[in-house]
Amino acid sequence: MATSDDDRKLTAYLDGELDEAERAALDARLEADPALRARLDALRAAADRTRAAFAALLETAPLADMRTRLDAALAASSARAAPPWRRGVAAVAAAVAIVAFAAGLGAGRWSVGSDDRLADRDDWRQEVVEYMALYTPESFGEAASPWLGDELATLSRRLDAPLDLDRLKVDDLSPRRAELLQYDGAPLGQIGYLDGATPVAFCILRDGEADAPLASSSRDGFAVASWAQGGRGYMLIGKIPVERLMALARSLKEKTG
Amino acid sequence: MGDGPKEDLRGGLEAHLARLWRYALSLSGARDVAEDLVQATCLRAIERADQFQPGTRLDRWLFAILRSIWLNESRARRVRAGQGVIDAGEALSVDGAHEIETNISAAQVLRAIGALPSAQRETVLLVYVEGYSYREAAELLGAPIGTVMSRLAAARATLTRTHEAKDA
């Protein structure tokens, strides 16, 4: 579920990270819109509760233990002039601590992997939004790439998805080029179209995302369609009217699903 | 160069132990691992004492070291197959002996934060608890500022939803 633009603006507002113009614009909207004000209050409270809870957590830090270990570490480092095998007990204690740490790492005691993917689900799409701003119509060349067939074959293989040219033609649009990128070690396919003079990108990340229905959002002036299926996250993005983007997205989703 | 920088570092490390531990706990979800992570951070900071620029923020430097150690170790761990997944919400909230007994609502909030995706949880800790600006957090996390904002907004929305559901 992508975060709404309003939530993002309200968050930046609460965090003092909007510039003067943006802040003034949001203040005007807040004055006129009680629902938006209520949302602001609700979101503000979340950070306040967080701070209070973490302040309470700080009180439970095992300071005595950590001070003892720190003293041992500092003593050990003072004896650093001697080669390792001649360091004193304190140094050995420090070395043992590191071994214990490494052993603890292997004992399977914390979550890894799966919940990182939940953040990636939106993070990678946000990165695409960021770099879309760099594209111009000329970025996609005068005509479709002569290697488009090969490029698509590579994408199909790495993304384990049927991405042939016919499937990727939607409405009057035909792919101009296709690239294989990566995000956090997972293969990311990007297929570029030109809608008139406007770049439109179809991005597919094979990251094992849970299925998600087609959703529309708007970020930084781009219309964005996102969904996930079969362990892949999808995204269609461009500065074109949202109705047109969603129609294209529905076709692509059907043809590549 | 005598022991000057090291002595300064001793005072500095001592002063930041609890906050380092809290950051480590939010990353690892386990108290004993958090302690070990703090210890490893102290050792590396001592080794690199002469790389610290006096006049700059020691806590930011230490947090960056801790994060780097955590990333390397958890990446190495991801390579090994068959790791169990624990409920980060459970681990981060409280374990028996350390129950924040008089502060039930804090425990509930910590549980909700533990259930956030790890990237959001870390960003929340850095910006809302440790006072990093978006720019500082983006630099430490190696992520665009927009990503920092998205994570914070998503976290606020989830925590609001959880809180409202609880009250409903």
Side-chain angles (χ1 to χ4, degrees):
Chain A
M1 180 175 72
T3 312
S4 78
D5 247 6
D6 272 357
D7 274 358
R8 292 167 79 247
K9 285 200 183 87
L10 292 172
T11 295
Y13 179 89
L14 287 165
D15 298 339
E17 296 268 356
L18 289 181
D19 66 38
E20 263 190 63
E22 292 167 324
R23 198 166 59 244
L26 193 55
D27 275 331
R29 284 187 60 201
L30 284 165
E31 250 194 71
D33 187 346
L36 195 64
R37 278 201 302 280
R39 184 62 178 166
L40 181 75
D41 290 338
L43 293 181
R44 174 190 290 118
D48 293 341
R49 282 195 301 277
T50 298
R51 271 184 277 271
F54 272 94
L57 182 62
L58 195 66
E59 302 296 309
T60 74
L63 273 175
D65 282 349
M66 290 195 292
R67 279 191 189 118
T68 306
R69 292 172 76 177
L70 175 59
D71 286 342
L74 287 163
S77 98
S78 296
R80 198 170 291 272
W85 54 89
R86 273 192 280 183
R87 288 182 189 159
V89 171
V92 172
V96 167
I98 290 294
V99 171
F101 177 46
L105 291 169
R109 276 186 300 191
W110 62 85
S111 68
V112 75
S114 66
D115 73 342
D116 290 343
R117 289 285 158 242
L118 293 172
D120 290 347
R121 190 193 297 149
D122 211 49
D123 282 355
W124 75 268
R125 291 191 177 83
Q126 181 59 34
E127 297 239 21
V128 172
V129 173
E130 311 264 341
Y131 74 66
M132 272 304 284
L134 302 173
Y135 282 125
T136 72
E138 283 124 325
S139 310
F140 287 17
E142 299 272 305
S145 156
W147 304 280
L148 187 58
D150 289 339
E151 288 161 3
L152 288 175
T154 302
L155 252 57
S156 296
R157 201 171 54 248
R158 292 300 307 277
L159 298 170
D160 194 27
L163 294 173
D164 54 88
L165 195 55
D166 277 326
R167 255 182 253 259
L168 294 169
K169 287 183 180 166
V170 281
D171 199 15
D172 54 343
L173 297 189
S174 188
R176 310 269 299 184
R177 62 181 222 167
E179 277 183 297
L180 181 66
L181 310 168
Q182 67 83 37
Y183 182 85
D184 198 20
L188 172 64
Q190 181 186 262
I191 295 143
Y193 300 83
L194 268 186
D195 188 7
T198 307
V200 172
F202 179 36
C203 303
I204 307 165
L205 182 68
R206 188 182 176 192
D207 65 345
E209 288 183 31
D211 286 3
L214 182 59
S216 110
S217 60
S218 130
R219 304 204 209 179
D220 294 356
F222 289 96
V224 176
S226 56
W227 72 98
Q229 199 171 316
R232 284 175 288 278
Y234 296 80
M235 178 183 186
L236 188 67
I237 175 172
K239 277 192 183 171
I240 62 178
V242 62
E243 301 80 18
R244 172 150 174 77
L245 187 96
M246 291 309 286
L248 295 170
R250 270 188 285 275
S251 294
L252 280 170
K253 179 172 192 284
E254 211 182 289
K255 293 173 91 171
T256 62
Chain B
M1 174 173 68
D3 247 11
K6 206 157 285 169
E7 277 313 301
D8 293 340
L9 191 56
R10 170 192 231 108
L13 284 169
E14 173 115 17
H16 297 306
L17 282 179
R19 285 167 55 212
L20 285 168
W21 174 84
R22 181 173 62 180
Y23 180 34
L25 185 63
S26 76
L27 290 174
S28 67
R31 286 170 181 271
D32 43 1
V33 173
E35 269 195 67
D36 291 338
L37 197 42
V38 172
Q39 178 67 359
T41 300
C42 291
L43 287 172
R44 186 164 302 174
I46 291 163
E47 270 171 44
R48 297 181 180 174
D50 47 5
Q51 286 179 28
F52 172 67
Q53 292 168 335
T56 63
R57 287 188 65 157
L58 179 62
D59 56 355
R60 298 292 192 245
W61 187 68
L62 294 173
F63 269 53
I65 291 174
L66 194 153
R67 181 166 210 272
S68 161
I69 294 173
W70 167 249
L71 284 181
N72 286 333
E73 293 298 345
S74 70
R75 190 175 299 129
R77 193 178 171 289
R78 266 201 281 259
V79 169
R80 296 177 221 141
Q83 308 300 344
V85 173
I86 61 162
D87 177 357
E90 271 312 301
L92 186 62
S93 60
V94 283
D95 56 59
H98 301 278
E99 187 78 37
I100 303 176
E101 272 147 9
T102 56
N103 199 341
I104 294 168
S105 67
Q108 281 175 337
V109 174
L110 289 174
R111 197 170 302 123
I113 289 166
L116 292 174
S118 58
Q120 288 180 23
R121 181 165 72 241
E122 184 181 5
T123 310
V124 162
L125 181 284
L126 291 172
V127 178
Y128 294 151
V129 182
E130 290 292 341
Y132 280 62
S133 69
Y134 282 16
R135 185 169 300 280
E136 286 174 322
E139 201 185 305
L140 176 63
L141 297 169
I145 289 187
T147 299
V148 169
M149 174 171 46
S150 287
R151 289 181 190 170
L152 294 172
R156 280 192 192 252
T158 302
L159 293 171
T160 302
R161 200 168 46 244
T162 309
H163 183 75
E164 283 167 0
K166 183 178 61 64
D167 285 344

